[in-house]
Amino acid sequence: MADEKTLPHSSGPAGGWGSLKGIARIFGETWAGPQTLATLGKLNKPKGVMCVSCAWPKPANYSAFEFCENGAKATLWEMTSARCTPEFWDEDGHSVTALRSWRDHDLEKTGRLTHPLRYDPATDRYRPVGWDKAFAEIGAELRKVQPDEAVFYASGHAGLEASYLYALLARAFGTNNLPQSSNMCHETTSVGLTKVIGSPVGTIVWDDLRQADAFFFFGQNPGTNSPRFLHPLKEAKDRGAKIVTFNPVIEQGLVSFVDPQSPAAMLTGKATVISDQYHQVRAGGDIAALLGMCKCVVEADDAEKAAGKAEVIDHGFVAQHTTGFDVFIGACRGADWADITHESGLDEAAIRAAAEVYMKAERVIGVYGMGLTQHAHGALNIAMLVNLLLLRGNIGRAGAGCCPVRGHSNVQGQRTVGIAEKVHLVPVDKLKALFGVETPAKDGFNIVEAVEGLFADKVRAFVCLGGNLLRAVPDQERMEKAWAAQDLTVMVSTKLNRSHLFPGKVAYILPCLGRMEADEQAGGRQTVTSEDSFSMINGSIGNRKPPSDMLKSELAIVAGIAKTALAPNPKLTWDAWTGDYGLVRDLIEKTYPDDFRDYNKRMYDAGGFYRGNAAHERVWKTESGKAVFTTPDEANAIGFADAPGRYRLVTLRSNDQFNTTIYGYSDRFRGIEGTRDVLLMNPDDIAEAALVDGQTVRLITDVDDGQHRALGGLKLTAYKLPRGTVASYYPECNVLVPIGHHDQLSKTPASKSIPVRIEADREAKGA
Ligand SMILES: Nc1nc2c(c(=O)[nH]1)N[C@H]1C(S)=C(S)[C@@H](COP(=O)(O)OP(=O)(O)OC[C@H]3O[C@@H](n4cnc5c(=O)[nH]c(N)nc54)[C@H](O)[C@@H]3O)O[C@H]1N2
Ligand SMILES: Nc1nc2c(c(=O)[nH]1)N[C@H]1C(S)=C(S)[C@@H](COP(=O)(O)OP(=O)(O)OC[C@H]3O[C@@H](n4cnc5c(=O)[nH]c(N)nc54)[C@H](O)[C@@H]3O)O[C@H]1N2
Ligand SMILES: [Mo]
């Protein structure tokens, strides 16, 4: 192994002064104005604004500044003083085709969109258009296609009110084609976790964090993606809890943290060590690592019982609450350490050490993210983590449970209120009774099916409530061609992005208010609500002056489209709903009475109100009515065979991005500065492949399906990674992901292990 000191590394702990510098740089670049500080001060507090970044919960006992480095960046990025006005399209070099060579960062940096825009094929530019004209044409175009030829996508951002109406619009139009960003993300949880514990969402709440004795992190990166999580983790460490991490990449937020809200810590620079153990598992190796840990628990239980001592497995819980136990522990006993260590890339002692922490802890929380969900056998990854938790009854009791950390600020909530492609998730009878709307009997498309539908010419119209779908999905190059062949594309957006640059035959960009902005309607200033990772519902009131007086709220845009696309129905009172979102909340409460009791009254409760979760109460809404032990039928999660020269590519988020929104080129926690065009690789792998650190390489997808997928211009960078695992950034790598490479159960694209080959890139500049 090369000298570790020469490898890129973090410039310091997570949080600390580095995070303040990160915020200050975006502040300088966007010049969001001095009022910004007042807005930041209101973030995530009752009657304030709920952060537009991630879905991490808001504590009831909030501190003076209840935001993090990346929440502040997202806020400043949205509040930028830059404007992308209609004049932008008059400038030289600003044709739609020319803009395709722009970087994601530069497209969004043009600022907030100010006017509704219609694509003009004659000049290859977008031109301003009035709202009424836009709605009239969008409605007319939608009515020309068959209901199932239209798709209504949502990125997990819009509030519960707009989302509920969006789902209603699609169903009244005649389709369940309601894919959502979570189809690329935690769909594995929605399907996989439901299969084993009957819950599509996490089971823990804020109090559980305070009581847990140990946290096990699998493939979730709090330092970058949910930084406010670091505060309860620091508190946990201060009271002696243990943290064990499994991740192929050393992520600084899981190594150490300086609380930027603590003057003492900031002045002394005293960092809290986060992970007591850090295991660099191979990409896709968690099934084996978890099997090894379970094996240790089963063996320890056998030994203690033989010695007449207390049991290690919670047999009372297992007997009362679970199925599949006997077969599963048989598989644990029979598992071979040579296989476990080969597949996980970890040695036996490391796995035994992790199991020791697990067995000593009274209350354990299992945390996970994209490192488990975005694999060909992602659902099995989740089932294996659940196996470990179930062995000692670590679900549905105080201080214990399963914690999938969700993505967008309302991604979970959109699913709760009906943005779902599967009919069995829809309260069909309620929609009929309330609106006379018949839900179509056929399941709609998820993302993978919608993309396949585009390739097969079965999708003719696409409406996007937020997001940057063309940049986020697999097989990006094929997708761009298919996308532009549609009859209609409609994007409800705040900023310009690559998805706008492949307009359909009729194409609109509809600019909307951000959550920070005052949303004034006939009934006065409106509140929107969202649901976080702990199933808490919070109200959010924007107070900033909108960047243009031409903007409409997301809800008003949904209503505008509905009024022209749907046949008149006196029960669909779009204007009244637009005037008063409280009426929409009443409808949500009527549709989902158990979840949203006293919705309008409780939405400003400190920390939000709890929607409840059956698994949290040990009620298992699975087929058998029990929690399920799953015996693994796969040795790893990758879904392809290993072969010489074939690597497992992990696609990463940097600390300077929110999904396809690229704030800048500083991934300071990983020591990568000034570029995103890198391929991280173990130094011994570099040597074995006869490559050289620093040279320019090209990745080729190693799948034999008749498609050629390649990405060049990447600077090879020696990095501390497990052998055979390489890493590069998302979304740049999406040209490499085959649409058919996804979780077997949920169809979540397998973005965390893509089979690739690596070649020297002789075409690249400077190669
Ligand atoms: N600032 C910021 N915040 C965000 C986002 C953002 O882009 N920027 N995105 C939001 C969204 S939509 C989401 S879904 C979440 C995503 O948040 P996360 O779930 O944290 O997602 P990633 O950063 O993609 O990947 C998580 C980790 O998985 C690890 N990993 C990769 N493969 C494996 C594996 O096989 N096993 C294990 N154990 N680990 C593996 C990676 O090294 C990485 O550290 O964050 C949300 N919050
Ligand atoms: N290879 C690879 N691919 C991935 C992933 C990965 O880890 N690796 N992660 C996947 C995941 S987890 C996700 S969630 C998807 C993300 O996919 P998307 O959700 O589709 O993408 P975002 O980048 O979040 O969308 C950014 C755009 O949203 C718009 N926007 C921002 N704020 C608002 C708002 O308030 N309202 C509206 N209407 N629009 C707004 C802006 O125009 C901005 O350009 O990508 C997935 N793709
Ligand atoms: Mo996500």
Side-chain angles (χ1 to χ4, degrees), residues 469-489:
L469 188 61
L470 260 71
R471 196 68 171 134
V473 287
D475 259 335
Q476 195 192 310
E477 273 173 23
R478 291 172 75 194
M479 176 74 172
E480 288 172 351
K481 283 196 199 93
W483 185 265
Q486 295 185 87
D487 298 326
L488 176 70
T489 55

PDB file of all heavy atoms in Angstrom, residues 469-489:
ATOM      1  N   LEU A 469     -34.706  15.729 -13.695  1.00  0.00           N
ATOM      2  CA  LEU A 469     -34.818  14.290 -13.930  1.00  0.00           C
ATOM      3  C   LEU A 469     -33.806  13.781 -14.955  1.00  0.00           C
ATOM      4  O   LEU A 469     -33.223  12.715 -14.778  1.00  0.00           O
ATOM      5  CB  LEU A 469     -36.247  13.954 -14.361  1.00  0.00           C
ATOM      6  CG  LEU A 469     -36.546  12.459 -14.458  1.00  0.00           C
ATOM      7  CD1 LEU A 469     -36.369  11.775 -13.120  1.00  0.00           C
ATOM      8  CD2 LEU A 469     -37.955  12.222 -14.978  1.00  0.00           C
ATOM      9  N   LEU A 470     -33.597  14.542 -16.023  1.00  0.00           N
ATOM     10  CA  LEU A 470     -32.694  14.046 -17.068  1.00  0.00           C
ATOM     11  C   LEU A 470     -31.273  13.869 -16.557  1.00  0.00           C
ATOM     12  O   LEU A 470     -30.515  13.084 -17.098  1.00  0.00           O
ATOM     13  CB  LEU A 470     -32.659  15.033 -18.250  1.00  0.00           C
ATOM     14  CG  LEU A 470     -33.524  14.610 -19.422  1.00  0.00           C
ATOM     15  CD1 LEU A 470     -34.968  14.747 -19.048  1.00  0.00           C
ATOM     16  CD2 LEU A 470     -33.209  15.427 -20.645  1.00  0.00           C
ATOM     17  N   ARG A 471     -30.921  14.635 -15.567  1.00  0.00           N
ATOM     18  CA  ARG A 471     -29.562  14.577 -15.031  1.00  0.00           C
ATOM     19  C   ARG A 471     -29.473  13.536 -13.912  1.00  0.00           C
ATOM     20  O   ARG A 471     -28.389  13.068 -13.596  1.00  0.00           O
ATOM     21  CB  ARG A 471     -29.211  15.967 -14.481  1.00  0.00           C
ATOM     22  CG  ARG A 471     -27.749  16.200 -14.237  1.00  0.00           C
ATOM     23  CD  ARG A 471     -26.947  16.240 -15.514  1.00  0.00           C
ATOM     24  NE  ARG A 471     -25.585  16.670 -15.254  1.00  0.00           N
ATOM     25  CZ  ARG A 471     -24.513  16.062 -15.755  1.00  0.00           C
ATOM     26  NH1 ARG A 471     -24.647  15.017 -16.542  1.00  0.00           N
ATOM     27  NH2 ARG A 471     -23.308  16.524 -15.485  1.00  0.00           N
ATOM     28  N   ALA A 472     -30.601  13.190 -13.337  1.00  0.00           N
ATOM     29  CA  ALA A 472     -30.595  12.305 -12.163  1.00  0.00           C
ATOM     30  C   ALA A 472     -30.750  10.839 -12.532  1.00  0.00           C
ATOM     31  O   ALA A 472     -30.387   9.959 -11.758  1.00  0.00           O
ATOM     32  CB  ALA A 472     -31.716  12.708 -11.198  1.00  0.00           C
ATOM     33  N   VAL A 473     -31.298  10.553 -13.717  1.00  0.00           N
ATOM     34  CA  VAL A 473     -31.607   9.158 -14.053  1.00  0.00           C
ATOM     35  C   VAL A 473     -30.430   8.440 -14.716  1.00  0.00           C
ATOM     36  O   VAL A 473     -29.534   9.085 -15.263  1.00  0.00           O
ATOM     37  CB  VAL A 473     -32.812   9.037 -15.021  1.00  0.00           C
ATOM     38  CG1 VAL A 473     -34.100   9.337 -14.326  1.00  0.00           C
ATOM     39  CG2 VAL A 473     -32.600   9.862 -16.263  1.00  0.00           C
ATOM     40  N   PRO A 474     -30.484   7.095 -14.708  1.00  0.00           N
ATOM     41  CA  PRO A 474     -29.493   6.310 -15.447  1.00  0.00           C
ATOM     42  C   PRO A 474     -29.601   6.544 -16.948  1.00  0.00           C
ATOM     43  O   PRO A 474     -30.572   7.144 -17.437  1.00  0.00           O
ATOM     44  CB  PRO A 474     -29.879   4.859 -15.130  1.00  0.00           C
ATOM     45  CG  PRO A 474     -30.666   4.925 -13.880  1.00  0.00           C
ATOM     46  CD  PRO A 474     -31.374   6.241 -13.921  1.00  0.00           C
ATOM     47  N   ASP A 475     -28.646   6.006 -17.659  1.00  0.00           N
ATOM     48  CA  ASP A 475     -28.631   6.028 -19.125  1.00  0.00           C
ATOM     49  C   ASP A 475     -28.947   7.409 -19.677  1.00  0.00           C
ATOM     50  O   ASP A 475     -29.801   7.590 -20.557  1.00  0.00           O
ATOM     51  CB  ASP A 475     -29.647   5.000 -19.675  1.00  0.00           C
ATOM     52  CG  ASP A 475     -28.924   3.737 -20.123  1.00  0.00           C
ATOM     53  OD1 ASP A 475     -27.725   3.827 -20.445  1.00  0.00           O
ATOM     54  OD2 ASP A 475     -29.560   2.677 -20.136  1.00  0.00           O
ATOM     55  N   GLN A 476     -28.221   8.395 -19.175  1.00  0.00           N
ATOM     56  CA  GLN A 476     -28.568   9.777 -19.457  1.00  0.00           C
ATOM     57  C   GLN A 476     -28.559  10.141 -20.940  1.00  0.00           C
ATOM     58  O   GLN A 476     -29.443  10.863 -21.398  1.00  0.00           O
ATOM     59  CB  GLN A 476     -27.585  10.661 -18.704  1.00  0.00           C
ATOM     60  CG  GLN A 476     -28.038  12.084 -18.613  1.00  0.00           C
ATOM     61  CD  GLN A 476     -26.904  12.923 -18.132  1.00  0.00           C
ATOM     62  OE1 GLN A 476     -26.268  12.597 -17.147  1.00  0.00           O
ATOM     63  NE2 GLN A 476     -26.629  13.984 -18.842  1.00  0.00           N
ATOM     64  N   GLU A 477     -27.614   9.624 -21.692  1.00  0.00           N
ATOM     65  CA  GLU A 477     -27.541  10.017 -23.107  1.00  0.00           C
ATOM     66  C   GLU A 477     -28.753   9.534 -23.882  1.00  0.00           C
ATOM     67  O   GLU A 477     -29.343  10.269 -24.678  1.00  0.00           O
ATOM     68  CB  GLU A 477     -26.262   9.471 -23.741  1.00  0.00           C
ATOM     69  CG  GLU A 477     -25.085  10.404 -23.547  1.00  0.00           C
ATOM     70  CD  GLU A 477     -23.782   9.794 -24.033  1.00  0.00           C
ATOM     71  OE1 GLU A 477     -23.817   8.885 -24.893  1.00  0.00           O
ATOM     72  OE2 GLU A 477     -22.740  10.228 -23.522  1.00  0.00           O
ATOM     73  N   ARG A 478     -29.146   8.281 -23.655  1.00  0.00           N
ATOM     74  CA  ARG A 478     -30.326   7.738 -24.352  1.00  0.00           C
ATOM     75  C   ARG A 478     -31.576   8.496 -23.912  1.00  0.00           C
ATOM     76  O   ARG A 478     -32.488   8.748 -24.682  1.00  0.00           O
ATOM     77  CB  ARG A 478     -30.515   6.264 -23.990  1.00  0.00           C
ATOM     78  CG  ARG A 478     -29.463   5.348 -24.530  1.00  0.00           C
ATOM     79  CD  ARG A 478     -29.626   3.961 -23.955  1.00  0.00           C
ATOM     80  NE  ARG A 478     -30.759   3.241 -24.545  1.00  0.00           N
ATOM     81  CZ  ARG A 478     -31.270   2.128 -24.023  1.00  0.00           C
ATOM     82  NH1 ARG A 478     -30.793   1.630 -22.906  1.00  0.00           N
ATOM     83  NH2 ARG A 478     -32.286   1.529 -24.599  1.00  0.00           N
ATOM     84  N   MET A 479     -31.582   8.835 -22.635  1.00  0.00           N
ATOM     85  CA  MET A 479     -32.736   9.519 -22.060  1.00  0.00           C
ATOM     86  C   MET A 479     -32.928  10.894 -22.715  1.00  0.00           C
ATOM     87  O   MET A 479     -34.049  11.318 -22.988  1.00  0.00           O
ATOM     88  CB  MET A 479     -32.480   9.641 -20.560  1.00  0.00           C
ATOM     89  CG  MET A 479     -33.498  10.404 -19.796  1.00  0.00           C
ATOM     90  SD  MET A 479     -35.023   9.483 -19.592  1.00  0.00           S
ATOM     91  CE  MET A 479     -35.843  10.594 -18.453  1.00  0.00           C
ATOM     92  N   GLU A 480     -31.822  11.578 -22.963  1.00  0.00           N
ATOM     93  CA  GLU A 480     -31.931  12.931 -23.529  1.00  0.00           C
ATOM     94  C   GLU A 480     -32.586  12.887 -24.908  1.00  0.00           C
ATOM     95  O   GLU A 480     -33.430  13.720 -25.243  1.00  0.00           O
ATOM     96  CB  GLU A 480     -30.542  13.589 -23.576  1.00  0.00           C
ATOM     97  CG  GLU A 480     -30.062  13.973 -22.172  1.00  0.00           C
ATOM     98  CD  GLU A 480     -28.623  14.448 -22.105  1.00  0.00           C
ATOM     99  OE1 GLU A 480     -27.900  14.335 -23.113  1.00  0.00           O
ATOM    100  OE2 GLU A 480     -28.219  14.928 -21.022  1.00  0.00           O
ATOM    101  N   LYS A 481     -32.227  11.886 -25.701  1.00  0.00           N
ATOM    102  CA  LYS A 481     -32.833  11.757 -27.035  1.00  0.00           C
ATOM    103  C   LYS A 481     -34.310  11.449 -26.928  1.00  0.00           C
ATOM    104  O   LYS A 481     -35.148  12.074 -27.586  1.00  0.00           O
ATOM    105  CB  LYS A 481     -32.139  10.629 -27.807  1.00  0.00           C
ATOM    106  CG  LYS A 481     -30.795  11.029 -28.335  1.00  0.00           C
ATOM    107  CD  LYS A 481     -30.300  10.034 -29.410  1.00  0.00           C
ATOM    108  CE  LYS A 481     -28.810  10.191 -29.568  1.00  0.00           C
ATOM    109  NZ  LYS A 481     -28.021   9.271 -28.739  1.00  0.00           N
ATOM    110  N   ALA A 482     -34.635  10.482 -26.093  1.00  0.00           N
ATOM    111  CA  ALA A 482     -36.030  10.049 -25.988  1.00  0.00           C
ATOM    112  C   ALA A 482     -36.905  11.168 -25.425  1.00  0.00           C
ATOM    113  O   ALA A 482     -38.049  11.370 -25.832  1.00  0.00           O
ATOM    114  CB  ALA A 482     -36.114   8.809 -25.110  1.00  0.00           C
ATOM    115  N   TRP A 483     -36.323  11.891 -24.481  1.00  0.00           N
ATOM    116  CA  TRP A 483     -37.061  12.974 -23.814  1.00  0.00           C
ATOM    117  C   TRP A 483     -37.512  14.037 -24.822  1.00  0.00           C
ATOM    118  O   TRP A 483     -38.665  14.460 -24.865  1.00  0.00           O
ATOM    119  CB  TRP A 483     -36.149  13.607 -22.754  1.00  0.00           C
ATOM    120  CG  TRP A 483     -36.787  14.641 -21.906  1.00  0.00           C
ATOM    121  CD1 TRP A 483     -36.768  15.991 -22.109  1.00  0.00           C
ATOM    122  CD2 TRP A 483     -37.541  14.427 -20.716  1.00  0.00           C
ATOM    123  NE1 TRP A 483     -37.452  16.627 -21.116  1.00  0.00           N
ATOM    124  CE2 TRP A 483     -37.932  15.690 -20.247  1.00  0.00           C
ATOM    125  CE3 TRP A 483     -37.905  13.290 -19.988  1.00  0.00           C
ATOM    126  CZ2 TRP A 483     -38.685  15.851 -19.083  1.00  0.00           C
ATOM    127  CZ3 TRP A 483     -38.657  13.450 -18.835  1.00  0.00           C
ATOM    128  CH2 TRP A 483     -39.045  14.716 -18.398  1.00  0.00           C
ATOM    129  N   ALA A 484     -36.561  14.445 -25.677  1.00  0.00           N
ATOM    130  CA  ALA A 484     -36.838  15.531 -26.617  1.00  0.00           C
ATOM    131  C   ALA A 484     -37.815  15.106 -27.720  1.00  0.00           C
ATOM    132  O   ALA A 484     -38.341  15.952 -28.436  1.00  0.00           O
ATOM    133  CB  ALA A 484     -35.520  16.008 -27.224  1.00  0.00           C
ATOM    134  N   ALA A 485     -38.065  13.809 -27.848  1.00  0.00           N
ATOM    135  CA  ALA A 485     -38.996  13.333 -28.886  1.00  0.00           C
ATOM    136  C   ALA A 485     -40.456  13.404 -28.425  1.00  0.00           C
ATOM    137  O   ALA A 485     -41.373  13.114 -29.204  1.00  0.00           O
ATOM    138  CB  ALA A 485     -38.646  11.900 -29.270  1.00  0.00           C
ATOM    139  N   GLN A 486     -40.685  13.805 -27.181  1.00  0.00           N
ATOM    140  CA  GLN A 486     -42.060  13.827 -26.664  1.00  0.00           C
ATOM    141  C   GLN A 486     -42.879  14.984 -27.255  1.00  0.00           C
ATOM    142  O   GLN A 486     -42.332  15.974 -27.725  1.00  0.00           O
ATOM    143  CB  GLN A 486     -42.032  13.993 -25.147  1.00  0.00           C
ATOM    144  CG  GLN A 486     -41.414  12.823 -24.422  1.00  0.00           C
ATOM    145  CD  GLN A 486     -41.538  13.029 -22.937  1.00  0.00           C
ATOM    146  OE1 GLN A 486     -42.536  12.679 -22.342  1.00  0.00           O
ATOM    147  NE2 GLN A 486     -40.529  13.625 -22.341  1.00  0.00           N
ATOM    148  N   ASP A 487     -44.193  14.859 -27.123  1.00  0.00           N
ATOM    149  CA  ASP A 487     -45.075  15.931 -27.597  1.00  0.00           C
ATOM    150  C   ASP A 487     -45.077  17.121 -26.637  1.00  0.00           C
ATOM    151  O   ASP A 487     -45.260  18.261 -27.057  1.00  0.00           O
ATOM    152  CB  ASP A 487     -46.515  15.406 -27.730  1.00  0.00           C
ATOM    153  CG  ASP A 487     -46.592  14.297 -28.759  1.00  0.00           C
ATOM    154  OD1 ASP A 487     -45.834  14.358 -29.746  1.00  0.00           O
ATOM    155  OD2 ASP A 487     -47.377  13.354 -28.560  1.00  0.00           O
ATOM    156  N   LEU A 488     -44.903  16.841 -25.339  1.00  0.00           N
ATOM    157  CA  LEU A 488     -45.006  17.917 -24.338  1.00  0.00           C
ATOM    158  C   LEU A 488     -44.043  17.665 -23.184  1.00  0.00           C
ATOM    159  O   LEU A 488     -43.999  16.563 -22.633  1.00  0.00           O
ATOM    160  CB  LEU A 488     -46.445  17.965 -23.793  1.00  0.00           C
ATOM    161  CG  LEU A 488     -46.699  18.971 -22.662  1.00  0.00           C
ATOM    162  CD1 LEU A 488     -46.640  20.406 -23.192  1.00  0.00           C
ATOM    163  CD2 LEU A 488     -48.050  18.711 -21.987  1.00  0.00           C
ATOM    164  N   THR A 489     -43.272  18.705 -22.813  1.00  0.00           N
ATOM    165  CA  THR A 489     -42.487  18.641 -21.574  1.00  0.00           C
ATOM    166  C   THR A 489     -42.788  19.910 -20.763  1.00  0.00           C
ATOM    167  O   THR A 489     -42.748  21.018 -21.307  1.00  0.00           O
ATOM    168  CB  THR A 489     -40.969  18.550 -21.853  1.00  0.00           C
ATOM    169  OG1 THR A 489     -40.577  19.645 -22.694  1.00  0.00           O
ATOM    170  CG2 THR A 489     -40.602  17.251 -22.539  1.00  0.00           C
TER     171      THR A 489
END
